Amino acid sequence: MIALIAIGVGTVWLYVPQAMQAAAIDAAHRSNIDVAEQIKITRGYYTQNVVAKATAAGTLNPTAIHAGDPNAIPLPATFVQDISNLLTQRATSLALVSPYPWPHRADRTMDDFQRRAWEIFRHDPDRIISATEVRNGQRVLRVAISDRMTNEACVACHNTDAYSPRHDWKIGDVRAVMEVKRVIEPYLAAADQRSQRIILGVAGTAFLVILLMTAIAMAVARSMRSKQEVDRHVVFLAHHDAMTGALNRSRFVSLLTDVIAQSKKAGVSADVALFYVDVDRFKEVNDRLGHAAGDQLIKAVVARLRERLRDDDMIGRVGGDEFVIARIRDVDAADAMALAEAIVADVAMPFALARHTLSVSASVGVRIGAGEVEDMMRAADVALYHAKSLGRSQAVLFSEDMQEELEARRHLEQTIRDTSRDCRFELHFQPLLSANDRRLHGFEALLRLPDGKGGYIPPVQFIRVAEEIGMIGTIGAWALGEACRAAARWPDHLTVAVNLSPLQFASRQGSDASIVDVVADALTRSGLAPHRLELEVTESVLLESSEVVIGELHALKSLGTTLVLDDFGTGYSSLSYLWKLPFDRLKIDQSFVAALREESRPSLQVVRTIMALSHALSMKVTAEGVETDEQASLLTELGCGQLQGYLFGRPSPEADLAGLVLADFQAGQAPVKPRRADRPGLTVSA
Ligand code: C2E
Ligand code: MG
Ligand code: MG
């Protein structure tokens, strides 16, 4: 396109000056002819109305030499020549020339141009002859037309005049060459200026067009580049953890799988060293110092790990504070353990963050081999747990004596997958009672994984594994659906509480639907009124992506559900977020309840403080793990509104709840007797 514009401008550049000059010459040419014609007319008039009359009257004498003679008037030819001479317009002049020997005109010899014109006019008197030439450094346009006998008066005069070279003139005879000469330099200069202006205008416009096109092209290129960047970014995000730039779990697994496969194909040692790194007590940092500090710490840990690693080592983030590292070349156990210990030592060095200097530690589990990557990660995780149980800040290499544990872990994963696929999970329900009157308020739904031998694998064992293998989204959604369906069958005043895993929030499980959609779906499908659904989350839900999680908590609340903060008091509860979050209820962790005895002042004090706090924040309080009358009485006295524990009923299948609901109904029919916590209200055995 730019080349086409350049060709266009070049053509204009070459053509316009020529065309403008030709036009200027043409205009001058026509103007010269005009002048000649006007002179002819003027002379005809003068001949007929002045010279002829004067001659007839005999009073005035027409002569070429009239100056100084009072009776002399100019001959018509002299007249026009004089007029022409009087015109001070130097640019245009008139010449009347002929080869006839006119008296007083002997000095007027014809030049080449005039002679050529004369020759032509003798045969072709209507022709117009023109030529340009340079005189005194100026271009001049010469235009010649034939000067003919135009009327009887002319003919009569010439035929009688003694000086006339001939006396046989007729009308139409060519008498002379009439030439109008014009200096055309100014016209051509003006044409040049005009063409320059045109060229400049065209070139300027072309320049602007090119500029505009270049700008558009650049903008298009930039937008394409930024689209490519966005695409690259999207691909990067699909493969990496956005915060640290480390690989995400699935990318880590697929890359490492490829590496091992390639090594095997190439016939070289395919052994890799896999390190499972966990930052000890990261939750504490998050809770105490806030998520911004937690994020900074994680970034700083990754930066420090990278410093320690080789370029071809791989690093992935597989949990909030969990990383996997793979060393893929020259692997042996001693080197691997040296690296693991170096990592432990690196992380143990203080971290200077924006507003805090922190000391944390890391535990590392190591697995060397060339097997399935997921299996190696599992083994490294088993080794990591050994490291943690040895008191943290340690590195442990997976060894054969952990094989049994690994097998158990593999088996558990398989059981979780199979149970989920076959919908064989169960929900048990544990009653929640109002502390004051011990009437049934609702039930908490607790997930049960059948072990195939008539018993159950406890949630503490399998929930974490389900989270790690990415199944908690599916299982949690199932639990929600089932719990809502069950509750919809209960009397309207009874609620159901469902536990949510932190991993169900902020779409942490990749393709899983958002928790808000899952809850809304469970409500819609079951027809359960939203106010009958209570959602229990633990503080760890706020470990990362707090903004997104807080948004989801608010969205859940606006569905009409009740939000419960479970296990309150465990971990390192940070009070700072309590007032920011839309929780309706706190559940005092059972560890406080277990320690609650009349004589145990510290635990009494803790519960009292929690009560005061929840009161200040307008939150209700449930105490879980109530096993004795004494605990129940104390908690009621302390102002705890709701109680849950084996004292009132163990978690049991839905089919077993009828008796409990009936007993509660009957208790409601009996005359109301305000209860103190002096005896249990309802009991059920699982
Ligand atoms: P949680 O939500 O704090 O549930 C209370 C746990 O305390 C239950 O354990 C319950 O059986 C137990 N419990 C209740 N009363 C007593 C008592 O008087 N004494 C003692 N010692 N224990 C009592 P469970 O059923 O083993 O569940 C453990 C944890 O597993 C739950 O703690 C909850 O965090 C999690 N969980 C259970 N079901 C689900 C679920 O559907 N989804 C998720 N994400 N987590 C679940
Ligand atoms: Mg709970
Ligand atoms: Mg709890």
Side-chain angles (χ1 to χ4, degrees):
M1 185 54 114
I2 289 176
L4 277 178
I5 291 174
I7 289 170
V9 172
T11 310
V12 169
W13 194 288
L14 291 173
Y15 172 76
V16 165
Q18 282 180 14
M20 295 301 282
Q21 292 222 344
I25 292 170
D26 188 50
H29 183 260
R30 272 183 279 111
S31 179
N32 280 11
I33 293 170
D34 242 23
V35 169
E37 294 296 344
Q38 281 168 17
I39 284 170
K40 270 187 185 174
I41 292 165
T42 310
R43 188 175 59 178
Y45 180 87
Y46 179 72
T47 306
Q48 279 181 322
N49 294 300
V50 180
V51 179
K53 282 184 182 167
T55 310
T59 49
L60 294 169
N61 175 30
T63 171
I65 308 152
H66 57 87
D69 181 350
N71 294 323
I73 58 168
L75 285 170
T78 310
F79 168 75
V80 292
Q81 193 62 63
D82 287 354
I83 293 290
S84 167
N85 291 343
L86 283 175
L87 290 173
T88 49
Q89 219 182 342
R90 281 174 55 234
T92 312
S93 62
L94 179 78
L96 265 173
V97 288
S98 79
Y100 292 121
W102 293 97
H104 321 297
R105 308 269 165 83
D107 56 325
R108 293 190 193 159
T109 52
M110 293 168 86
D111 62 16
D112 286 348
F113 171 76
Q114 291 161 340
R115 247 192 310 278
R116 186 163 60 88
W118 175 259
E119 287 309 320
I120 292 169
F121 293 154
R122 282 185 4 164
H123 313 290
D124 189 0
D126 292 327
R127 280 273 293 276
I128 297 167
I129 314 296
S130 73
T132 51
E133 61 186 45
V134 178
R135 284 207 178 170
N136 303 325
Q138 292 205 310
R139 277 170 291 182
V140 174
L141 176 67
R142 303 177 70 175
V143 176
I145 61 171
S146 60
D147 180 42
R148 287 190 271 181
M149 293 291 176
T150 48
N151 54 45
E152 279 304 332
C154 289
V155 173
C157 183
H158 278 82
N159 281 344
T160 52
D161 190 79
Y163 295 113
S164 175
R166 281 169 50 184
H167 292 97
D168 58 346
W169 297 100
K170 302 183 296 297
I171 287 178
D173 278 354
V174 176
R175 177 177 45 184
V177 169
M178 183 184 288
E179 181 198 341
V180 178
K181 209 177 336 185
R182 187 186 289 265
V183 176
I184 55 170
E185 199 61 50
Y187 298 87
L188 296 179
D192 282 348
Q193 271 177 9
R194 267 201 300 279
S195 46
Q196 265 173 20
R197 275 203 297 276
I198 289 172
I199 288 167
L200 276 177
V202 169
T205 310
F207 180 70
L208 285 179
V209 168
I210 289 172
L211 218 63
L212 198 72
M213 282 171 58
T214 312
I216 290 170
M218 278 165 68
V220 169
R222 200 176 315 120
S223 94
M224 280 170 70
R225 258 202 315 277
S226 65
K227 189 184 169 303
Q228 284 167 352
E229 262 164 36
V230 168
D231 288 349
R232 270 201 299 276
H233 195 62
V234 167
V235 171
F236 182 86
L237 286 182
H239 293 164
H240 294 79
D241 164 50
M243 190 170 86
T244 60
L247 295 165
N248 60 23
R249 185 190 186 103
S250 64
R251 188 65 179 160
F252 181 90
V253 170
S254 75
L255 276 181
L256 192 57
T257 304
D258 287 352
V259 167
I260 293 173
Q262 277 164 15
S263 303
K264 282 182 178 164
K265 210 167 150 194
V268 295
S269 164
D271 269 2
V272 299
L274 197 91
F275 304 83
Y276 212 115
V277 183
D278 185 290
V279 180
D280 301 322
R281 283 194 279 266
F282 172 65
K283 185 176 180 305
E284 185 180 351
V285 173
N286 240 328
D287 290 346
R288 269 201 0 242
L289 305 175
H291 302 285
D295 287 357
Q296 282 174 27
L297 176 65
I298 288 298
K299 283 188 211 164
V301 167
V302 172
R304 209 171 272 183
L305 290 177
R306 283 193 201 282
E307 269 175 40
R308 172 64 61 186
L309 299 181
R310 296 196 309 226
D311 284 350
D312 58 349
D313 290 338
M314 288 162 51
I315 178 162
R317 186 175 181 210
V318 291
D321 56 352
E322 290 180 1
F323 302 93
V324 280
I325 291 168
R327 175 147 288 184
I328 55 179
R329 274 191 299 108
D330 312 327
V331 171
D332 70 39
D335 288 348
M337 286 317 289
L339 175 57
E341 267 145 27
I343 289 172
V344 169
D346 286 348
V347 178
M349 304 278 285
F351 287 92
L353 307 182
R355 291 170 57 198
H356 310 275
T357 297
L358 288 183
S359 289
V360 291
S361 62
S363 303
V364 183
V366 187
R367 169 64 162 158
I368 295 173
E372 287 279 320
V373 174
E374 289 280 7
D375 206 40
M376 293 196 26
M377 281 168 68
R378 205 177 283 129
D381 195 17
V382 168
L384 169 71
Y385 270 80
H386 274 262
K388 290 216 172 237
S389 61
L390 288 173
R392 299 192 166 101
S393 203
Q394 313 245 357
V396 169
L397 179 66
F398 181 85
S399 59
E400 284 312 307
D401 54 332
M402 296 175 203
Q403 195 63 39
E404 210 175 300
E405 248 171 88
L406 180 61
E407 283 306 325
R409 166 75 193 252
R410 271 190 210 131
H411 185 256
L412 179 56
E413 286 182 15
Q414 201 50 48
T415 308
I416 292 170
R417 287 184 213 278
D418 294 347
T419 309
S420 175
R421 187 196 55 222
D422 302 340
C423 296
R424 281 189 288 105
F425 272 105
E426 289 181 25
L427 275 189
H428 284 189
F429 297 89
Q430 187 179 28
L432 298 156
L433 285 90
S434 301
N436 260 342
D437 56 8
R438 304 291 161 83
R439 294 292 307 274
L440 197 56
H441 181 268
F443 296 91
E444 176 173 7
L446 294 158
L447 203 51
R448 294 290 177 262
L449 171 60
D451 63 3
K453 296 175 218 147
Y456 297 103
I457 299 166
V460 276
Q461 278 182 29
F462 75 82
I463 297 272
R464 198 191 126 247
V465 177
E467 287 174 344
E468 283 184 11
I469 62 172
M471 293 291 297
I472 195 66
T474 313
I475 298 169
W478 176 86
L480 259 167
E482 281 300 303
C484 290
R485 244 195 309 277
R489 294 188 284 259
W490 303 340
D492 282 350
H493 67 285
L494 296 179
T495 61
V496 67
V498 182
N499 293 282
L500 300 180
S501 156
L503 293 196
Q504 288 176 268
F505 283 80
S507 301
R508 302 217 199 137
Q509 298 272 308
S511 56
D512 287 348
S514 96
I515 186 63
V516 185
D517 292 343
V518 172
V519 170
D521 189 55
L523 287 170
T524 312
R525 282 169 189 270
S526 63
L528 184 73
H531 73 269
R532 296 180 61 198
L533 177 62
E534 306 196 341
L535 299 169
E536 297 194 2
V537 293
T538 56
E539 294 162 61
S540 56
V541 77
L542 298 157
L543 260 183
E544 348 165 27
S545 310
S546 53
E547 291 307 314
V548 185
V549 172
I550 290 170
E552 287 182 332
L553 285 172
H554 279 281
L556 289 176
K557 177 122 169 122
S558 47
L559 288 179
T561 64
T562 298
L563 295 188
V564 182
L565 186 57
D566 205 354
D567 301 345
F568 186 74
T570 57
Y572 303 88
S573 308
S574 159
L575 300 183
S576 65
Y577 57 77
L578 262 189
W579 62 271
K580 283 193 224 156
L581 298 173
F583 288 109
D584 303 284
R585 181 182 286 282
L586 291 183
K587 261 186 152 182
I588 305 177
D589 188 66
Q590 46 185 278
S591 55
F592 296 102
V593 177
L596 199 63
R597 285 184 300 277
E598 196 82 69
E599 66 275 16
S600 166
R601 300 220 53 83
S603 57
L604 261 178
Q605 207 46 51
V606 169
V607 174
R608 221 174 246 131
T609 310
I610 295 175
M611 289 300 170
L613 175 78
S614 53
H615 184 72
L617 295 169
S618 308
M619 288 186 201
K620 294 176 186 146
V621 180
T622 302
E624 62 183 357
V626 182
E627 293 186 355
T628 66
D629 289 339
E630 190 198 4
Q631 289 166 342
S633 307
L634 269 174
L635 286 159
T636 310
E637 262 166 35
L638 289 167
C640 179
Q642 195 178 69
L643 304 173
Q644 175 185 11
Y646 294 167
L647 179 64
F648 309 109
R650 289 183 176 257
S652 49
E654 198 208 351
D656 298 349
L657 304 182
L660 195 58
V661 175
L662 187 63
D664 180 60
F665 176 74
Q666 285 165 350
Q669 300 297 95
V672 182
K673 231 201 284 173
R675 285 175 191 274
R676 298 276 308 188
D678 50 1
R679 65 187 177 93
L682 298 155
T683 52
V684 68
S685 52

